């Protein structure tokens, strides 16, 4: 899921897990006290990993497990805690009988390189947190444990439920019917594009919300030509983009292109039933031609090709832009405008269609890290138990206890973790229901924080505006609910590790795509350059990539 635009959304569950306690003497009393303190009962698991102990069983005698950690959350540590000794590591040892040790801990920007060095050394930790390329390397080298049986035997019901939400969350780590890893599966709903418009400008110019893409273009023209900020200067533009286009994060044209039934960067089924790359389809040519037309008319920020996401956001917050295509987190990109005395406001709208067919919005499932086990490690089920533990503490029955607060918001330094996929739409529905009856008593810790934030905004705190626009009645999540209710979501249909050609040629083809699209929009190349781009893309590896994609997806 953008550094400062990202935020951690944690804690929601309706499912309880059960386990049994079996121990003796004074040690039994200690374990029972631990279980009562944290809200989780535990059962003994023999050192051979027998499944009789349940998903949260405890090793007796304890085991030691080697892994690594990317430092993403040091600032959220409790006083006196360290990344090596904190609520998670102590919980693993106390409740699971697993002592976690780290071969290394590095900053996020150095994690990929550090793991590559580890893989090259041949001295692998017991549990690995790797990217898809590294996972593929390990799998092809026969260095990963088969987790098929241990997952079925040891994974909790809640973990299995999470991996089945909206798609097969384990698809990228399956090969020949066997499972070799757990994904950091986030679901897809929050990747849905939507249109954000300055509603104070719409009111100033007496404009109605857009129903078609032609309406969007008309609004962009009005925001450029009719002085919506009433400062008497010709200093506003309709649409913001950033130089990365569809790969550049927020404020990008993906939603615009979806309105023309074009789907950049994803693989979708064509009329023959085969998977085809969205960026080379005829609909993309149409969408680029429209963007080129808007740019030529002066309705797009003329300097977008030199601005990354941060610089584009600065232009928006400077009050020079009236609309952009973004995502559910877009309020963070413009929250700096929400100051006392400012009348600026933004509302999200569904992507309208350019014709009589409904506009479908593309969703990309982000699997993030892959958690795997080195081959021949004697306790492969320990990975599953660590995952069970984190999911239970964050979302299970024990998350409702007072002790759950010690785990809340600290998943970033759990070495194995999974947030509830697509959970934000549930939070939205719960919060809106509570707002309607003015009663937050049924909300959990996280939901209550958003409810309180919305009430704070409504009470005059402009800095809390983002709570309203992400989880309130007129929010980004309300647009996602609209997409769900009307079956308007189109999923990327290739959810496997990169093919050989993707690994070898993907960066080159991506650069070719970006450069071609920017030049077409800028008017440096004619629209016919798209046709040559398609030919070049295919010849430089695209055809082979397409062949590999379809072989794997069969």
């Amino acid at each position: 899921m953008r550094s400062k635009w990202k935020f951690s959304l944690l804690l929601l569950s309706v499912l309880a897990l059960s386990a049994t306690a079996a121990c003796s003497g004074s040690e039994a009393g200690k374990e029972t006290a631990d279980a009562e303190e944290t809200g989780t009962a535990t059962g003994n698991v023999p050192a051979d990993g027998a499944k009789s102990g349940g998903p949260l069983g405890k090793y007796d005698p304890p085991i030691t497990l080697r892994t690594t950690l990317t430092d993403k959350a040091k600032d959220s540590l409790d006083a006196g805690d360290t990344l090596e000794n904190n609520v998670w590591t102590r919980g693993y040892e106390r409740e699971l009988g697993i002592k976690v040790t780290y071969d290394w801990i590095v900053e996020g920007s150095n994690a990929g390189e550090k793991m590559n060095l580890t893989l090259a050394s041949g001295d692998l930790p017991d549990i690995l947190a790797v990217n898809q390329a590294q996972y593929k390397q390990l799998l092809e080298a026969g260095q990963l444990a088969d987790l098929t049986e241990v997952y079925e035997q040891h994974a909790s019901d809640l973990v299995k439920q999470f991996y089945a939400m909206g798609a097969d969350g384990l698809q990228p780590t399956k090969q020949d019917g066997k499972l070799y890893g757990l994904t950091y599966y986030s679901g897809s709903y929050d990747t849905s594009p939507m249109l954000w418009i300055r509603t104070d400008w719409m009111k100033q110019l007496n404009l109605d919300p857009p129903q078609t893409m032609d309406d969007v273009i008309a609004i962009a023209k009005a925001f450029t030509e009719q002085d919506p900020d009433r400062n008497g200067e010709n200093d506003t533009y309709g649409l913001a983009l950033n130089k990365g286009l569809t790969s550049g994060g927020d404020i990008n044209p993906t939603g615009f292109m979806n309105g023309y039934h074009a789907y950049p960067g994803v693989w979708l089924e064509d009329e023959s039933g085969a998977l085809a790359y969205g960026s080379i389809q005829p609909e993309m040519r149409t969408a680029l031609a429209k963007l080129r037309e808007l740019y030529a008319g002066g309705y797009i920020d003329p300097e977008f090709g030199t601005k990354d996401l941060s610089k584009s956001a600065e232009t928006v917050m400077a009050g020079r832009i009236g609309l952009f295509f973004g995502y559910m987190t877009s309020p963070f990109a413009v929250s700096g405008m929400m100051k006392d005395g400012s009348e600026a406001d933004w509302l999200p709208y569904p992507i309208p269609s350019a014709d009589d067919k409904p506009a479908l919005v593309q969703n990309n499932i982000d699997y993030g890290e892959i958690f795997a086990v080195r081959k021949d490690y004697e306790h492969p089920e320990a990975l599953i138990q660590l995952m069970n533990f984190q999911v239970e503490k964050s979302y299970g029955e024990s998350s409702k206890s007072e002790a759950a607060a010690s785990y809340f918001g600290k998943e970033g330094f759990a070495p194995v973790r999974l947030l509830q996929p697509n959970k934000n739409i549930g939070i939205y529905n719960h919060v809106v229901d509570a707002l309607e009856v003015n009663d937050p008593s049924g909300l959990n810790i996280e939901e209550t924080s958003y409810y309180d934030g919305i009430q704070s905004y409504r009470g005059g705190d402009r800095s809390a505006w983002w709570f309203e626009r992400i989880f309130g009645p007129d929010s980004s999540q309300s647009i996602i609910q609209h997409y769900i209710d009307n079956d308007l979501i189109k999923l990327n249909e290739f959810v496997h590790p990169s093919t050989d050609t993707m690994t070898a040629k993907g960066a080159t083809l991506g650069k070719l795509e970006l450069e071609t699209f920017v030049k077409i929009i800028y008017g440096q190349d004619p629209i016919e350059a798209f046709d040559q781009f398609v030919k070049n893309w295919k010849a430089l590896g695209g055809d082979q990539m397409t062949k590999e994609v379809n072989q794997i997806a069969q």
Side-chain angles (χ1 to χ4, degrees):
M1 278 270 23
R2 276 189 231 177
S3 60
K4 70 184 279 190
W5 323 125
K6 282 188 174 181
F7 61 102
S8 177
L9 300 175
L10 311 167
L11 218 59
L12 176 67
S13 174
V14 294
L15 226 153
L17 298 178
S18 62
T20 60
C23 45
S24 61
S26 61
E27 188 62 25
K30 179 179 182 299
E31 290 178 5
T32 301
D34 288 340
E36 291 174 351
E37 175 188 350
T38 57
T40 303
T42 62
N44 286 332
V45 175
D48 62 2
K51 67 177 181 178
S52 59
L56 295 173
K58 184 174 182 179
Y59 287 94
D60 184 14
I63 65 171
T64 297
L65 179 152
R66 294 169 51 207
T67 187
T68 63
L69 187 68
T70 301
D71 176 9
K72 299 178 179 178
K74 186 181 296 182
D75 292 344
S76 62
L77 284 166
D78 291 333
D81 280 0
T82 67
L83 291 170
E84 296 89 346
N85 180 9
N86 54 67
V87 63
W88 293 105
T89 58
R90 292 191 296 270
Y92 299 147
E93 190 166 2
R94 179 182 63 245
E95 299 187 45
L96 301 181
I98 299 176
K99 181 175 176 58
V100 172
T101 64
Y102 294 109
D103 286 9
W104 47 258
I105 299 175
V106 299
E107 298 288 341
S109 59
N110 300 321
E113 181 180 356
K114 185 66 173 179
M115 181 57 73
N116 284 335
L117 292 173
T118 297
L119 302 187
S121 75
D123 182 18
L124 302 182
D126 303 322
I127 289 182
L128 301 111
V130 295
N131 60 35
Q132 287 202 7
Q134 292 162 343
Y135 167 78
K136 182 180 180 182
Q137 174 186 338
L138 288 163
L139 185 62
E140 291 178 345
Q143 293 179 293
L144 297 181
D146 179 356
L147 302 176
T148 310
E149 291 188 12
V150 294
Y151 178 79
E152 288 303 318
Q153 293 174 1
H154 292 272
S156 69
D157 290 342
L158 192 54
V159 166
K160 289 178 179 178
Q161 178 191 358
F162 279 14
Y163 277 123
M165 284 184 169
D168 181 355
L170 295 173
Q171 183 62 46
T173 53
K174 292 178 178 178
Q175 180 166 294
D176 300 327
K178 295 182 179 181
L179 179 70
Y180 291 93
L182 304 181
T183 65
Y184 187 57
Y185 171 55
S186 62
S188 69
Y189 291 161
D190 289 344
T191 69
S192 302
M194 58 192 69
L195 173 62
W196 288 87
I197 305 180
R198 277 198 66 165
T199 51
D200 56 313
W201 284 12
M202 289 179 67
K203 292 176 182 177
Q204 186 70 252
L205 301 180
N206 197 28
L207 300 174
D208 294 323
Q211 303 298 315
T212 67
M213 287 303 296
D214 284 345
D215 292 341
V216 173
I217 291 172
I219 292 172
K221 291 180 177 179
F223 284 170
T224 304
E225 299 172 344
Q226 298 181 28
D227 191 22
D229 57 1
R230 294 296 187 254
N231 68 353
E233 299 181 16
N234 184 25
D235 59 354
T236 58
Y237 302 98
L239 179 63
L241 301 175
N242 78 76
K243 68 179 182 180
L245 292 184
T246 60
S247 62
D250 215 328
I251 310 180
N252 76 55
T254 298
F256 183 96
M257 293 167 173
N258 289 175
Y260 289 89
H261 316 299
Y263 305 98
V266 297
W267 294 85
L268 302 169
E269 193 172 290
D270 63 16
E271 294 180 355
S272 71
L275 294 186
Y277 186 56
S279 294
I280 65 169
Q281 305 309 310
E283 292 83 1
M284 185 60 66
R285 191 183 197 275
T286 302
L288 288 171
K290 284 294 181 182
L291 286 170
R292 174 189 174 89
E293 177 184 312
L294 284 171
Y295 185 84
Y299 308 121
I300 295 177
D301 176 8
E303 299 177 347
F304 85 86
T306 66
K307 296 178 178 179
D308 60 14
L309 173 58
S310 178
K311 291 296 183 182
S312 294
E314 288 177 8
T315 303
V316 174
M317 287 190 290
R320 301 183 64 194
I321 301 293
L323 62 84
F324 65 88
F325 292 84
Y327 300 97
M328 62 87 67
T329 54
S330 290
F332 291 106
V334 298
S335 60
M337 302 180 71
M338 306 306 157
K339 302 174 182 178
D340 291 342
S342 170
E343 296 183 358
D345 197 8
W346 295 80
L347 275 178
Y349 296 89
I351 301 298
S353 175
D355 53 32
D356 58 355
K357 296 185 296 184
L360 304 181
V361 295
Q362 69 185 69
N363 272 204
N364 299 298
I365 300 177
D366 180 9
Y367 290 99
E369 289 177 297
I370 292 174
F371 306 106
V373 178
R374 68 170 174 82
K375 188 176 182 180
D376 299 328
Y377 176 51
E378 61 182 335
H379 295 293
E381 76 287 341
L383 168 63
I384 313 300
Q385 288 183 259
L386 292 182
M387 184 67 83
N388 292 340
F389 186 84
Q390 180 269 304
V391 170
E392 166 63 20
K393 293 302 183 187
S394 299
Y395 307 98
E397 192 65 21
S398 62
S399 70
K400 301 174 184 178
S401 70
E402 286 188 21
S406 63
Y407 290 92
F408 179 74
K410 299 181 176 66
E411 283 81 355
F413 47 87
V416 176
R417 58 202 171 276
L418 177 67
L419 304 186
Q420 181 179 355
N422 296 324
K423 77 186 179 72
N424 290 326
I425 195 66
I427 293 175
Y428 153 76
N429 282 295
H430 294 162
V431 170
V432 169
D433 287 346
L435 289 168
E436 288 179 352
V437 297
N438 197 31
D439 180 11
S441 61
L443 303 179
N444 65 26
I445 296 173
E446 183 181 9
E447 293 165 347
T448 300
S449 71
Y450 301 141
Y451 176 94
D452 290 345
I454 291 172
Q455 296 290 31
S456 179
Y457 168 70
R458 294 180 178 183
D461 181 3
R462 291 276 286 169
S463 69
W465 171 84
W466 69 268
F467 289 100
E468 182 79 61
R469 285 297 172 261
I470 294 180
F471 291 110
D474 297 316
S475 65
S476 57
Q477 288 297 323
S478 74
I479 302 302
I480 292 173
Q481 187 66 62
H482 168 80
Y483 292 151
I484 295 170
D485 292 343
N486 293 279
D487 195 22
L488 297 175
I489 292 175
K490 200 173 184 69
L491 273 174
N492 180 7
E493 297 183 44
F494 185 75
V495 289
H496 303 267
S498 297
T499 71
D500 291 339
T501 304
M502 284 180 180
T503 301
K505 303 289 183 66
T508 299
L509 294 177
K511 182 180 179 182
L512 173 66
E513 178 178 327
L514 177 60
E515 291 178 348
T516 302
F517 288 7
V518 169
K519 287 181 178 179
I520 288 174
I521 296 171
Y522 261 26
Q524 295 174 351
D525 286 345
I527 190 60
E528 288 76 16
F530 177 82
D531 305 323
Q532 186 60 48
F533 155 72
V534 173
K535 294 178 182 177
N536 293 341
W537 185 89
K538 292 182 175 183
L540 293 173
D543 277 343
Q544 180 60 29
M545 188 189 304
T546 302
K547 180 180 178 181
E548 293 169 355
V549 163
N550 281 279
Q551 287 174 339
I552 293 173
Q554 286 180 350

